[in-house]
Amino acid sequence: MPSAGSLGANTHASAPLAVRMRPRTIDELVGQQQLRAAGSPLRRLIEGDQSMSLLLWGPPGTGKTTIAAIVSQQTRRRFVEVSAVAAGVKEVRAAIDGARAELARGGQETVLFVDEVHRFTKAQQDALLPGVENRWVTLIAATTENPFFSVISPLLSRSLLLRLQSLTDDDVAEVIDQALADERGMAGSTALDDDARAHLVRLAGGDARRALTYLEAAAGAAASNGLEAIDLATAETAVDQAAVRYDRQGDQHYDVISAFIKSIRGSDPDAALHYLARMIEAGEDPRFIARRLVVHASEDVGLADPTALQAAVAAAQAVQLIGMPEARINLAQATIHLAVAPKSNAVITAIDAAIADVKAGRIGQVPAHLRDAHYGGAKDLGHGKGYAYPHDEPFGVAEQQYLPDVLSDAAYYKPTSLGAEAGVKERWERVRRIVRGG
């Protein structure tokens, strides 16, 4: 059944810290500056008391439920929550009928909050449309999935889509500090050591609710041990996870990523996975890891396994599409693929050698027969004259000069005999003999 009332009504002293510390106004919301800015749609909805349905899209713990509660409280609307996990069409219709009856009695308007709306079937989402179209409810639907794939078009077009971003480490630290000082939280009764704070921030992973849950557990552990402050050891024990010694701005960042790449280059997937796990557990930006894999795929694998770059790019796209923690699997797959792949640095060696010649001034003129001959007067200048069209030649390869005269003997790409590049090497040697006349 739908639950009605105000979220603020349940913030009694025994409620979880994350519930007690839920922001009451838009100005108390941490992070999401783009939504809190003056003149923003959300602020206009709250301060102008407009009837407008919202679709909130963002990672867990970024404030979706909180925003729904703020809209309800600040606009003095009833708050009715429907969980997409447990509710069916019957419950959705009952919530909308109840809101409609309340309006008919001259009562309050209703905020209908649907959490995890992407879990609703098409029929369940269709059941929301009458309430939205007739403004019997102010619908606020929350999703962690891309709504363009998971929400039906009629509902999407009738709602204002607001994108929530993961909280930064500074945002999470601010949430923790507020809970330590605020009367609804710990009211200054417990201190928190800096290294313990850093540990809790890292474990939170941009999720404010998780940060407060961990803080509450750590505070309880400190109190049971008779401690006035939460130290690192207590924080580790309370959340059953040891702190990973890793500074994303310091030596560990560079040392671990260096060891990660060198382990892949050295064809040791076990070592590579170890360093990958260290970076993931330390909260390293998964996009950074993915970018390094894409670079490594061409730098150290190259054409020895042409699918390596495809695997790395696919992992990078998966990081953007699904995010963490699920994307750890995609990163691990790409890591293993690159580690066990045959290795060749012929690609990076080739491009760096070509760049070195250009920087050294070995440039020369483009051969006349390769120059653009498509504009008027070009042929009079000899452009394109003598060009041999490769498709007219046996094997689709023509003997002719492509490099400038000063570089006629250049040999940048030197394929290895490793993996798939062995076949490339064999073909390139044959083609080179034809192109360059033996």
Side-chain angles (χ1 to χ4, degrees):
M1 292 294 291
S3 60
S6 169
L7 287 179
N10 296 321
T11 54
H12 48 79
S14 62
L17 180 62
V19 173
R20 302 201 308 271
M21 288 302 301
R22 193 183 299 279
R24 297 158 295 189
T25 69
I26 189 172
D27 292 320
E28 289 184 0
L29 192 66
V30 174
Q32 314 305 337
Q33 285 81 1
Q34 76 283 4
L35 301 184
R36 297 189 289 115
S40 67
L42 179 60
R43 191 171 284 277
R44 292 202 309 271
L45 169 63
I46 292 173
E47 296 178 351
D49 196 16
Q50 302 171 351
S51 182
M52 182 188 307
S53 291
L54 300 179
L55 187 56
L56 306 176
W57 173 26
T62 51
K64 298 184 292 296
T65 305
T66 294
I67 288 174
I70 289 173
V71 171
S72 171
Q73 292 167 9
Q74 290 201 251
T75 60
R76 294 179 175 83
R77 288 179 169 92
R78 293 171 63 243
F79 184 90
V80 177
E81 181 175 1
V82 173
S83 172
V85 176
V89 173
K90 179 181 178 181
E91 287 78 11
V92 171
R93 288 176 176 164
I96 292 175
D97 289 344
R100 185 180 181 184
E102 180 72 13
L103 285 176
R105 292 194 298 268
Q108 292 177 297
E109 295 183 26
T110 299
V111 168
L112 176 59
F113 177 61
V114 180
D115 197 14
E116 299 190 80
V117 69
H118 58 274
R119 294 180 181 268
F120 266 175
T121 64
K122 181 179 183 298
Q124 289 169 311
Q125 293 187 33
D126 281 336
L128 294 168
L129 290 175
V132 173
E133 290 176 336
N134 293 289
R135 293 192 172 178
W136 296 330
V137 297
T138 295
L139 174 67
I140 301 182
T143 178
T144 57
E145 303 286 338
N146 188 329
F148 293 101
F149 298 119
S150 58
V151 177
I152 60 174
S153 296
L155 189 58
L156 193 60
S157 65
R158 290 167 173 80
S159 305
L160 178 64
L161 177 61
L162 299 181
R163 180 75 185 270
L164 281 73
Q165 305 296 330
S166 292
L167 299 183
T168 66
D169 286 354
D170 288 342
D171 291 335
V172 174
E174 182 180 345
V175 168
I176 290 174
D177 289 342
Q178 286 179 353
L180 289 168
D182 197 286
E183 291 182 358
R184 294 174 297 155
M186 299 176 183
S189 61
T190 305
L192 180 65
D193 291 354
D194 289 343
D195 52 358
R197 177 188 283 101
H199 181 52
L200 295 178
V201 168
R202 181 184 62 77
L203 291 181
D207 186 326
R209 183 169 51 244
R210 186 185 303 166
L212 292 176
T213 300
Y214 289 163
L215 174 62
E216 188 171 26
S224 64
N225 292 330
L227 301 176
E228 295 183 355
I230 303 169
D231 57 19
L232 179 59
T234 303
E236 288 178 317
T237 302
V239 297
D240 194 25
Q241 188 163 355
V244 178
R245 311 299 175 180
Y246 188 93
D247 178 3
R248 279 184 279 176
Q249 305 299 322
D251 289 342
Q252 297 100 328
H253 167 84
Y254 297 103
D255 289 345
V256 173
I257 193 62
S258 176
F260 176 62
I261 293 301
K262 288 172 181 173
S263 297
I264 296 176
R265 182 182 295 138
S267 300
D268 189 334
D270 294 327
L273 287 171
H274 166 75
Y275 293 116
L276 174 63
R278 280 173 64 166
M279 289 187 288
I280 290 173
E281 286 301 297
E284 181 62 82
D285 186 345
R287 296 170 299 178
F288 168 75
I289 301 172
R291 288 194 297 269
R292 295 308 308 165
L293 288 171
V294 172
V295 172
H296 172 74
S298 290
E299 179 180 355
D300 290 305
V301 178
L303 294 178
D305 180 357
T307 66
L309 180 59
Q310 298 171 10
V313 171
Q317 291 173 336
V319 167
Q320 296 286 355
L321 181 63
I322 66 173
M324 298 296 276
E326 290 85 356
R328 76 191 188 284
I329 308 169
N330 309 106
L331 291 172
Q333 179 176 335
T335 296
I336 295 170
H337 187 138
L338 270 60
V340 301
K343 304 299 188 292
S344 169
N345 68 346
V347 171
I348 186 174
T349 301
I351 184 59
D352 285 353
I355 289 173
D357 272 350
V358 170
K359 287 183 175 180
R362 297 189 70 199
I363 297 176
Q365 296 294 320
V366 175
H369 59 280
L370 298 184
R371 297 180 189 178
D372 182 17
H374 289 87
Y375 60 91
K379 291 185 179 179
D380 295 337
L381 297 174
H383 291 190
K385 184 178 180 179
Y387 173 63
Y389 188 53
H391 294 291
D392 292 337
E393 302 296 325
F395 311 111
V397 180
E399 177 184 346
Q400 67 184 338
Q401 180 179 338
Y402 290 97
L403 282 163
D405 291 339
V406 70
L407 293 168
S408 60
D409 61 345
Y412 298 128
Y413 180 48
K414 299 177 180 178
T416 71
S417 298
L418 301 172
E421 199 168 34
V424 177
K425 175 183 173 72
E426 182 181 353
R427 171 170 170 75
W428 170 228
E429 288 174 348
R430 294 198 310 268
V431 169
R432 181 187 173 95
R433 285 194 295 269
I434 297 172
V435 171
R436 303 199 181 180

